[in-house]
Amino acid sequence: GVFVKPAGSMFRRIQFRRAIEIDDGYGLDQVWYNHGVKVWGSFSPISDGERWRAGEVAAHITGRFVVRYSEFSAGLTPADRLLCDGREYDISGIKEVGRREAFEITAAARAD
């Protein structure tokens, strides 16, 4: 068959990250590590109007990532982070798209 690129072309490699807490002798500290393998996904920036309505004023890059549904992606939570194009993003929301088709992840990273 002929390969057809999915809408929104999932051509970005996304690495998810998860924290573990370690006791460094002074208290608990979070250490982030790569969680799972890199997955293909897409990214679209959120408009300034949407950011303003959400009350976001800091210098952040906010966007929506879409990754295909899998057992791995179904286990992601807003406590995780994602790494894309060398920038680490905090996840603020995850919602299922369609019936086990994909997940839309809203995330923000510092712009500096």
Side-chain angles (χ1 to χ4, degrees), residues 45-80:
I46 291 177
S47 73
D48 290 340
E50 285 179 272
R51 290 177 53 214
W52 180 80
R53 285 189 294 279
E56 185 179 310
V57 293
H60 282 86
I61 295 170
T62 305
R64 290 191 182 96
F65 294 85
V66 176
V67 297
R68 286 189 175 86
Y69 184 97
S70 68
E71 290 301 316
F72 170 75
S73 61
L76 297 171
T77 75
D80 295 322

mmCIF file of all heavy atoms in Angstrom, residues 45-80:
data_model
loop_
_atom_site.group_PDB
_atom_site.id
_atom_site.type_symbol
_atom_site.label_atom_id
_atom_site.label_comp_id
_atom_site.label_asym_id
_atom_site.label_seq_id
_atom_site.Cartn_x
_atom_site.Cartn_y
_atom_site.Cartn_z
ATOM 1 N N PRO A 45 2.227 25.078 18.491
ATOM 2 C CA PRO A 45 2.241 26.094 19.555
ATOM 3 C C PRO A 45 0.833 26.588 19.855
ATOM 4 O O PRO A 45 -0.028 26.614 18.980
ATOM 5 C CB PRO A 45 3.105 27.212 18.985
ATOM 6 C CG PRO A 45 3.171 26.979 17.528
ATOM 7 C CD PRO A 45 2.863 25.541 17.270
ATOM 8 N N ILE A 46 0.624 26.961 21.113
ATOM 9 C CA ILE A 46 -0.651 27.559 21.525
ATOM 10 C C ILE A 46 -0.546 29.054 21.271
ATOM 11 O O ILE A 46 0.466 29.676 21.567
ATOM 12 C CB ILE A 46 -0.947 27.243 23.005
ATOM 13 C CG1 ILE A 46 -1.248 25.743 23.143
ATOM 14 C CG2 ILE A 46 -2.099 28.081 23.526
ATOM 15 C CD1 ILE A 46 -1.488 25.293 24.564
ATOM 16 N N SER A 47 -1.591 29.624 20.728
ATOM 17 C CA SER A 47 -1.581 31.048 20.377
ATOM 18 C C SER A 47 -1.458 31.934 21.607
ATOM 19 O O SER A 47 -1.811 31.547 22.714
ATOM 20 C CB SER A 47 -2.864 31.409 19.625
ATOM 21 O OG SER A 47 -3.957 31.428 20.519
ATOM 22 N N ASP A 48 -0.962 33.157 21.389
ATOM 23 C CA ASP A 48 -0.854 34.124 22.485
ATOM 24 C C ASP A 48 -2.211 34.381 23.118
ATOM 25 O O ASP A 48 -2.316 34.561 24.326
ATOM 26 C CB ASP A 48 -0.250 35.438 21.988
ATOM 27 C CG ASP A 48 1.225 35.290 21.645
ATOM 28 O OD1 ASP A 48 1.861 34.332 22.137
ATOM 29 O OD2 ASP A 48 1.739 36.111 20.886
ATOM 30 N N GLY A 49 -3.285 34.425 22.324
ATOM 31 C CA GLY A 49 -4.632 34.650 22.857
ATOM 32 C C GLY A 49 -5.048 33.556 23.822
ATOM 33 O O GLY A 49 -5.596 33.827 24.883
ATOM 34 N N GLU A 50 -4.766 32.306 23.464
ATOM 35 C CA GLU A 50 -5.090 31.197 24.357
ATOM 36 C C GLU A 50 -4.273 31.279 25.640
ATOM 37 O O GLU A 50 -4.786 31.033 26.730
ATOM 38 C CB GLU A 50 -4.807 29.857 23.677
ATOM 39 C CG GLU A 50 -5.813 29.453 22.631
ATOM 40 C CD GLU A 50 -5.428 28.126 22.006
ATOM 41 O OE1 GLU A 50 -4.669 28.140 21.028
ATOM 42 O OE2 GLU A 50 -5.893 27.097 22.523
ATOM 43 N N ARG A 51 -2.997 31.619 25.517
ATOM 44 C CA ARG A 51 -2.146 31.737 26.700
ATOM 45 C C ARG A 51 -2.664 32.855 27.601
ATOM 46 O O ARG A 51 -2.699 32.717 28.813
ATOM 47 C CB ARG A 51 -0.696 32.016 26.293
ATOM 48 C CG ARG A 51 -0.035 30.828 25.625
ATOM 49 C CD ARG A 51 1.367 31.134 25.157
ATOM 50 N NE ARG A 51 2.156 31.669 26.255
ATOM 51 C CZ ARG A 51 3.101 32.580 26.098
ATOM 52 N NH1 ARG A 51 3.391 33.059 24.912
ATOM 53 N NH2 ARG A 51 3.777 33.017 27.130
ATOM 54 N N TRP A 52 -3.069 33.990 27.003
ATOM 55 C CA TRP A 52 -3.556 35.126 27.783
ATOM 56 C C TRP A 52 -4.841 34.746 28.522
ATOM 57 O O TRP A 52 -5.004 35.032 29.693
ATOM 58 C CB TRP A 52 -3.804 36.315 26.849
ATOM 59 C CG TRP A 52 -4.302 37.513 27.571
ATOM 60 C CD1 TRP A 52 -3.576 38.408 28.290
ATOM 61 C CD2 TRP A 52 -5.660 37.953 27.662
ATOM 62 N NE1 TRP A 52 -4.384 39.374 28.817
ATOM 63 C CE2 TRP A 52 -5.678 39.121 28.448
ATOM 64 C CE3 TRP A 52 -6.864 37.466 27.156
ATOM 65 C CZ2 TRP A 52 -6.850 39.788 28.735
ATOM 66 C CZ3 TRP A 52 -8.018 38.139 27.444
ATOM 67 C CH2 TRP A 52 -8.005 39.279 28.232
ATOM 68 N N ARG A 53 -5.765 34.079 27.831
ATOM 69 C CA ARG A 53 -7.020 33.656 28.468
ATOM 70 C C ARG A 53 -6.765 32.672 29.605
ATOM 71 O O ARG A 53 -7.507 32.623 30.570
ATOM 72 C CB ARG A 53 -7.971 33.043 27.440
ATOM 73 C CG ARG A 53 -8.615 34.092 26.545
ATOM 74 C CD ARG A 53 -9.716 33.514 25.679
ATOM 75 N NE ARG A 53 -9.226 32.560 24.689
ATOM 76 C CZ ARG A 53 -8.671 32.875 23.529
ATOM 77 N NH1 ARG A 53 -8.514 34.147 23.196
ATOM 78 N NH2 ARG A 53 -8.280 31.934 22.687
ATOM 79 N N ALA A 54 -5.701 31.884 29.495
ATOM 80 C CA ALA A 54 -5.368 30.923 30.548
ATOM 81 C C ALA A 54 -4.606 31.588 31.693
ATOM 82 O O ALA A 54 -4.281 30.944 32.676
ATOM 83 C CB ALA A 54 -4.533 29.778 29.969
ATOM 84 N N GLY A 55 -4.306 32.886 31.566
ATOM 85 C CA GLY A 55 -3.621 33.613 32.630
ATOM 86 C C GLY A 55 -2.122 33.387 32.639
ATOM 87 O O GLY A 55 -1.459 33.672 33.633
ATOM 88 N N GLU A 56 -1.555 32.904 31.558
ATOM 89 C CA GLU A 56 -0.125 32.639 31.497
ATOM 90 C C GLU A 56 0.599 33.895 31.016
ATOM 91 O O GLU A 56 0.342 34.388 29.937
ATOM 92 C CB GLU A 56 0.131 31.483 30.533
ATOM 93 C CG GLU A 56 1.568 31.048 30.502
ATOM 94 C CD GLU A 56 1.773 29.883 29.544
ATOM 95 O OE1 GLU A 56 1.029 28.908 29.623
ATOM 96 O OE2 GLU A 56 2.690 29.996 28.718
ATOM 97 N N VAL A 57 1.476 34.424 31.864
ATOM 98 C CA VAL A 57 2.169 35.658 31.496
ATOM 99 C C VAL A 57 3.683 35.496 31.445
ATOM 100 O O VAL A 57 4.372 36.331 30.884
ATOM 101 C CB VAL A 57 1.807 36.817 32.460
ATOM 102 C CG1 VAL A 57 0.353 37.201 32.293
ATOM 103 C CG2 VAL A 57 2.110 36.446 33.896
ATOM 104 N N ALA A 58 4.218 34.434 32.051
ATOM 105 C CA ALA A 58 5.677 34.247 32.070
ATOM 106 C C ALA A 58 6.192 33.914 30.679
ATOM 107 O O ALA A 58 5.431 33.606 29.774
ATOM 108 C CB ALA A 58 6.029 33.124 33.050
ATOM 109 N N ALA A 59 7.506 34.002 30.519
ATOM 110 C CA ALA A 59 8.132 33.712 29.236
ATOM 111 C C ALA A 59 8.224 32.197 29.050
ATOM 112 O O ALA A 59 9.212 31.563 29.395
ATOM 113 C CB ALA A 59 9.515 34.345 29.173
ATOM 114 N N HIS A 60 7.146 31.622 28.538
ATOM 115 C CA HIS A 60 7.075 30.182 28.310
ATOM 116 C C HIS A 60 6.731 29.905 26.858
ATOM 117 O O HIS A 60 6.086 30.715 26.196
ATOM 118 C CB HIS A 60 5.979 29.542 29.180
ATOM 119 C CG HIS A 60 6.366 29.356 30.600
ATOM 120 N ND1 HIS A 60 6.212 30.341 31.538
ATOM 121 C CD2 HIS A 60 6.892 28.301 31.251
ATOM 122 C CE1 HIS A 60 6.636 29.893 32.708
ATOM 123 N NE2 HIS A 60 7.058 28.657 32.561
ATOM 124 N N ILE A 61 7.157 28.751 26.409
ATOM 125 C CA ILE A 61 6.711 28.231 25.126
ATOM 126 C C ILE A 61 5.690 27.168 25.481
ATOM 127 O O ILE A 61 6.010 26.198 26.167
ATOM 128 C CB ILE A 61 7.883 27.612 24.343
ATOM 129 C CG1 ILE A 61 8.882 28.700 23.988
ATOM 130 C CG2 ILE A 61 7.377 26.880 23.108
ATOM 131 C CD1 ILE A 61 10.170 28.179 23.428
ATOM 132 N N THR A 62 4.453 27.378 25.082
ATOM 133 C CA THR A 62 3.383 26.451 25.408
ATOM 134 C C THR A 62 2.842 25.856 24.121
ATOM 135 O O THR A 62 2.695 26.557 23.127
ATOM 136 C CB THR A 62 2.248 27.177 26.166
ATOM 137 O OG1 THR A 62 2.802 27.817 27.311
ATOM 138 C CG2 THR A 62 1.179 26.208 26.622
ATOM 139 N N GLY A 63 2.570 24.574 24.172
ATOM 140 C CA GLY A 63 2.063 23.945 22.967
ATOM 141 C C GLY A 63 1.348 22.648 23.255
ATOM 142 O O GLY A 63 1.245 22.216 24.406
ATOM 143 N N ARG A 64 0.854 22.079 22.165
ATOM 144 C CA ARG A 64 0.170 20.796 22.254
ATOM 145 C C ARG A 64 0.971 19.775 21.456
ATOM 146 O O ARG A 64 1.297 20.002 20.303
ATOM 147 C CB ARG A 64 -1.247 20.908 21.707
ATOM 148 C CG ARG A 64 -2.130 21.728 22.600
ATOM 149 C CD ARG A 64 -3.596 21.624 22.188
ATOM 150 N NE ARG A 64 -4.399 22.466 23.064
ATOM 151 C CZ ARG A 64 -4.769 23.702 22.772
ATOM 152 N NH1 ARG A 64 -4.446 24.245 21.619
ATOM 153 N NH2 ARG A 64 -5.492 24.397 23.616
ATOM 154 N N PHE A 65 1.259 18.678 22.104
ATOM 155 C CA PHE A 65 1.927 17.552 21.469
ATOM 156 C C PHE A 65 0.884 16.470 21.249
ATOM 157 O O PHE A 65 -0.027 16.312 22.063
ATOM 158 C CB PHE A 65 3.030 17.002 22.383
ATOM 159 C CG PHE A 65 4.167 17.960 22.592
ATOM 160 C CD1 PHE A 65 4.101 18.942 23.572
ATOM 161 C CD2 PHE A 65 5.307 17.882 21.806
ATOM 162 C CE1 PHE A 65 5.145 19.829 23.769
ATOM 163 C CE2 PHE A 65 6.366 18.764 22.002
ATOM 164 C CZ PHE A 65 6.282 19.733 22.981
ATOM 165 N N VAL A 66 1.002 15.746 20.168
ATOM 166 C CA VAL A 66 0.126 14.607 19.926
ATOM 167 C C VAL A 66 1.012 13.390 19.705
ATOM 168 O O VAL A 66 1.952 13.431 18.909
ATOM 169 C CB VAL A 66 -0.796 14.831 18.703
ATOM 170 C CG1 VAL A 66 -1.626 13.583 18.415
ATOM 171 C CG2 VAL A 66 -1.713 16.026 18.941
ATOM 172 N N VAL A 67 0.722 12.318 20.461
ATOM 173 C CA VAL A 67 1.427 11.047 20.302
ATOM 174 C C VAL A 67 0.380 9.956 20.112
ATOM 175 O O VAL A 67 -0.742 10.078 20.589
ATOM 176 C CB VAL A 67 2.331 10.718 21.518
ATOM 177 C CG1 VAL A 67 3.430 11.762 21.673
ATOM 178 C CG2 VAL A 67 1.530 10.597 22.803
ATOM 179 N N ARG A 68 0.757 8.929 19.387
ATOM 180 C CA ARG A 68 -0.164 7.824 19.148
ATOM 181 C C ARG A 68 -0.492 7.104 20.449
ATOM 182 O O ARG A 68 0.326 7.023 21.355
ATOM 183 C CB ARG A 68 0.444 6.833 18.162
ATOM 184 C CG ARG A 68 0.438 7.351 16.758
ATOM 185 C CD ARG A 68 0.846 6.258 15.771
ATOM 186 N NE ARG A 68 0.705 6.752 14.422
ATOM 187 C CZ ARG A 68 1.623 7.427 13.764
ATOM 188 N NH1 ARG A 68 2.765 7.717 14.356
ATOM 189 N NH2 ARG A 68 1.413 7.838 12.536
ATOM 190 N N TYR A 69 -1.683 6.535 20.496
ATOM 191 C CA TYR A 69 -2.093 5.732 21.637
ATOM 192 C C TYR A 69 -1.254 4.457 21.685
ATOM 193 O O TYR A 69 -1.019 3.815 20.667
ATOM 194 C CB TYR A 69 -3.578 5.358 21.519
ATOM 195 C CG TYR A 69 -4.084 4.602 22.724
ATOM 196 C CD1 TYR A 69 -4.748 5.270 23.740
ATOM 197 C CD2 TYR A 69 -3.871 3.234 22.856
ATOM 198 C CE1 TYR A 69 -5.198 4.587 24.860
ATOM 199 C CE2 TYR A 69 -4.309 2.549 23.973
ATOM 200 C CZ TYR A 69 -4.971 3.227 24.972
ATOM 201 O OH TYR A 69 -5.397 2.546 26.084
ATOM 202 N N SER A 70 -0.783 4.119 22.873
ATOM 203 C CA SER A 70 -0.095 2.846 23.115
ATOM 204 C C SER A 70 -0.244 2.542 24.600
ATOM 205 O O SER A 70 -0.670 3.402 25.383
ATOM 206 C CB SER A 70 1.387 2.942 22.739
ATOM 207 O OG SER A 70 2.066 3.808 23.630
ATOM 208 N N GLU A 71 0.097 1.343 24.986
ATOM 209 C CA GLU A 71 0.055 1.016 26.422
ATOM 210 C C GLU A 71 0.988 1.948 27.182
ATOM 211 O O GLU A 71 0.683 2.386 28.285
ATOM 212 C CB GLU A 71 0.433 -0.450 26.657
ATOM 213 C CG GLU A 71 -0.618 -1.424 26.162
ATOM 214 C CD GLU A 71 -1.978 -1.215 26.816
ATOM 215 O OE1 GLU A 71 -2.045 -1.032 28.049
ATOM 216 O OE2 GLU A 71 -2.979 -1.205 26.073
ATOM 217 N N PHE A 72 2.151 2.264 26.574
ATOM 218 C CA PHE A 72 3.105 3.183 27.210
ATOM 219 C C PHE A 72 2.492 4.572 27.377
ATOM 220 O O PHE A 72 2.482 5.132 28.468
ATOM 221 C CB PHE A 72 4.393 3.259 26.390
ATOM 222 C CG PHE A 72 5.317 4.353 26.860
ATOM 223 C CD1 PHE A 72 6.050 4.216 28.025
ATOM 224 C CD2 PHE A 72 5.434 5.535 26.148
ATOM 225 C CE1 PHE A 72 6.883 5.232 28.478
ATOM 226 C CE2 PHE A 72 6.265 6.551 26.590
ATOM 227 C CZ PHE A 72 6.993 6.396 27.754
ATOM 228 N N SER A 73 1.970 5.147 26.279
ATOM 229 C CA SER A 73 1.442 6.513 26.364
ATOM 230 C C SER A 73 0.218 6.590 27.268
ATOM 231 O O SER A 73 -0.038 7.624 27.878
ATOM 232 C CB SER A 73 1.145 7.084 24.970
ATOM 233 O OG SER A 73 0.183 6.313 24.290
ATOM 234 N N ALA A 74 -0.524 5.492 27.402
ATOM 235 C CA ALA A 74 -1.689 5.478 28.297
ATOM 236 C C ALA A 74 -1.268 5.594 29.762
ATOM 237 O O ALA A 74 -2.066 5.992 30.611
ATOM 238 C CB ALA A 74 -2.512 4.211 28.079
ATOM 239 N N GLY A 75 0.001 5.299 30.058
ATOM 240 C CA GLY A 75 0.488 5.380 31.435
ATOM 241 C C GLY A 75 1.117 6.712 31.799
ATOM 242 O O GLY A 75 1.566 6.904 32.929
ATOM 243 N N LEU A 76 1.150 7.661 30.864
ATOM 244 C CA LEU A 76 1.734 8.973 31.151
ATOM 245 C C LEU A 76 0.804 9.792 32.037
ATOM 246 O O LEU A 76 -0.410 9.646 31.969
ATOM 247 C CB LEU A 76 1.999 9.728 29.845
ATOM 248 C CG LEU A 76 3.011 9.060 28.917
ATOM 249 C CD1 LEU A 76 3.031 9.753 27.564
ATOM 250 C CD2 LEU A 76 4.399 9.056 29.539
ATOM 251 N N THR A 77 1.392 10.656 32.869
ATOM 252 C CA THR A 77 0.603 11.520 33.746
ATOM 253 C C THR A 77 1.179 12.938 33.703
ATOM 254 O O THR A 77 2.316 13.142 33.276
ATOM 255 C CB THR A 77 0.648 11.031 35.216
ATOM 256 O OG1 THR A 77 1.925 11.354 35.775
ATOM 257 C CG2 THR A 77 0.377 9.538 35.338
ATOM 258 N N PRO A 78 0.407 13.933 34.195
ATOM 259 C CA PRO A 78 0.944 15.307 34.261
ATOM 260 C C PRO A 78 2.156 15.443 35.186
ATOM 261 O O PRO A 78 2.837 16.456 35.149
ATOM 262 C CB PRO A 78 -0.239 16.124 34.772
ATOM 263 C CG PRO A 78 -1.438 15.362 34.298
ATOM 264 C CD PRO A 78 -1.026 13.909 34.465
ATOM 265 N N ALA A 79 2.454 14.425 36.001
ATOM 266 C CA ALA A 79 3.651 14.470 36.848
ATOM 267 C C ALA A 79 4.908 14.210 36.021
ATOM 268 O O ALA A 79 6.015 14.516 36.463
ATOM 269 C CB ALA A 79 3.541 13.443 37.971
ATOM 270 N N ASP A 80 4.742 13.656 34.807
ATOM 271 C CA ASP A 80 5.881 13.404 33.926
ATOM 272 C C ASP A 80 6.260 14.687 33.197
ATOM 273 O O ASP A 80 5.546 15.682 33.241
ATOM 274 C CB ASP A 80 5.525 12.314 32.904
ATOM 275 C CG ASP A 80 5.275 10.967 33.561
ATOM 276 O OD1 ASP A 80 5.988 10.618 34.525
ATOM 277 O OD2 ASP A 80 4.355 10.263 33.104
#
